[in-house]
Amino acid sequence: MTVFWGLMIPLAGTTLGSACVFFLKDKLNELLQKGLLGFASGVMVAASVWSLLIPSMDMTAGMGRLAFVPAAAGMLLGMAFLLGMDRVIPHLHLGTQEAEGPKTSLKKTTMLVLAVTLHNIPEGMAVGVVFAGMLSGSTGITAAGAFSLAIGIAIQNFPEGAIISMPLKSEGQMSRKKAFLYGTLSGAVEPVGAALTIALASVIDPFLPYLLSFAAGAMLYVVVEELIPEASEGEHSNLGTVGFAVGFVLMMVLDVALG
């Protein structure tokens, strides 16, 4: 039951963020959005390093100087996986007019949700693999460390939920309730992906170092490919940089203090 609530924490962050559609104007202030995108980037990068890559290398310390191999291989595979998903799933990013992936007749609002859902896959995997490491008892990952990652992901999911639900209301001519529902559903993939990752990890326990770094690579792909460029577009890109620093430090503190 403890693991169940741990997996639901990130979804709670997305749900609370999506609820902003009931209280704020149709669009987030552009400067605030830049700061929030930078903040989400900082949280994801810090989580990738402290909660995923370092534990991956710690688990393979017995390999001596080659302890980096599983972390490096898994990270590259994670990036390749997201690159492939980007190519095969039609999706549309906020502020753009051209959809990515194969041509489709899907509605613009549907492709916006698919874009956020695609971003949430590695986050769900990250939470799942950390809890799997905790359950295995052989990774050095504590319950506090696993929950710190889940809390960190939930914190960065809050602005993400707002960033998706509010434009759905303004651009897609949706009702507030429907935009809230779509925003929440975009985060539902996280607990599902986490649960599947835990099930997979329990079968192939020796590959946990690769799964940890795989999730890190997938998260870093999202940061470099989407979040940072969106935060850096146009004027006042320094707000994205400040947001990144705040998010990185917050996630680092959470991991070190709770882990």
Side-chain angles (χ1 to χ4, degrees):
M1 201 63 182
T2 299
V3 173
F4 170 79
W5 290 116
L7 302 189
M8 296 304 293
I9 288 173
L11 177 59
T14 303
T15 302
L16 289 173
S18 298
C20 289
V21 75
F22 295 115
F23 308 107
L24 302 178
K25 294 180 180 180
D26 287 342
K27 287 186 178 181
L28 281 177
N29 177 278
E30 184 180 351
L31 300 183
L32 176 60
Q33 186 165 316
K34 283 181 180 292
L36 293 177
L37 286 168
F39 176 84
S41 300
V43 169
M44 291 176 73
V45 170
S48 297
V49 175
W50 266 270
S51 300
L52 299 170
L53 290 174
I54 290 177
S56 173
M57 288 184 282
D58 286 344
M59 288 178 66
T60 55
M63 296 175 65
R65 293 184 179 180
L66 296 178
F68 69 87
V69 171
M75 178 177 163
L76 292 175
L77 286 171
M79 287 193 161
F81 173 74
L82 257 291
L83 177 61
M85 295 288 281
D86 250 346
R87 296 292 178 88
V88 301
I89 296 179
H91 57 284
L92 179 68
H93 295 288
L94 293 172
T96 62
Q97 297 301 319
E98 270 188 54
E100 296 183 16
K103 292 184 178 180
T104 179
S105 58
L106 291 173
K107 293 181 178 179
K108 181 180 179 181
T109 51
T110 302
M111 289 192 289
L112 281 170
V113 173
L114 282 174
V116 177
T117 302
L118 187 62
H119 288 181
N120 286 337
I121 291 174
E123 295 166 21
M125 291 176 59
V127 174
V129 75
V130 168
F131 274 98
M134 178 200 76
L135 291 172
S136 76
S138 60
T139 62
I141 297 174
T142 64
F147 272 92
S148 71
L149 176 64
I151 293 169
I153 296 295
I155 290 171
Q156 77 91 26
N157 277 354
F158 180 86
E160 194 172 75
I163 287 170
I164 186 63
S165 66
M166 295 177 71
L168 284 175
K169 165 66 174 62
S170 59
E171 295 181 26
Q173 278 122 70
M174 287 185 175
S175 67
R176 293 183 186 274
K177 289 183 179 179
K178 194 171 182 180
F180 167 73
L181 178 63
Y182 271 58
T184 300
L185 288 177
S186 71
V189 68
E190 291 192 24
V192 174
L196 290 175
T197 303
I198 289 175
L200 178 64
S202 65
V203 176
I204 52 173
D205 187 74
F207 291 93
L208 268 176
Y210 292 92
L211 289 175
L212 285 164
S213 54
F214 181 95
M219 287 175 66
L220 290 173
Y221 176 90
V222 171
V223 171
V224 177
E225 172 70 11
E226 304 296 345
L227 299 185
I228 290 179
E230 288 177 18
S232 302
E233 286 180 351
E235 299 180 351
H236 306 293
S237 60
N238 57 334
L239 290 175
T241 304
V242 172
F244 179 94
V246 173
F248 188 97
V249 170
L250 177 61
M251 187 63 227
M252 179 177 65
V253 169
L254 275 175
D255 189 83
V256 175
L258 299 181

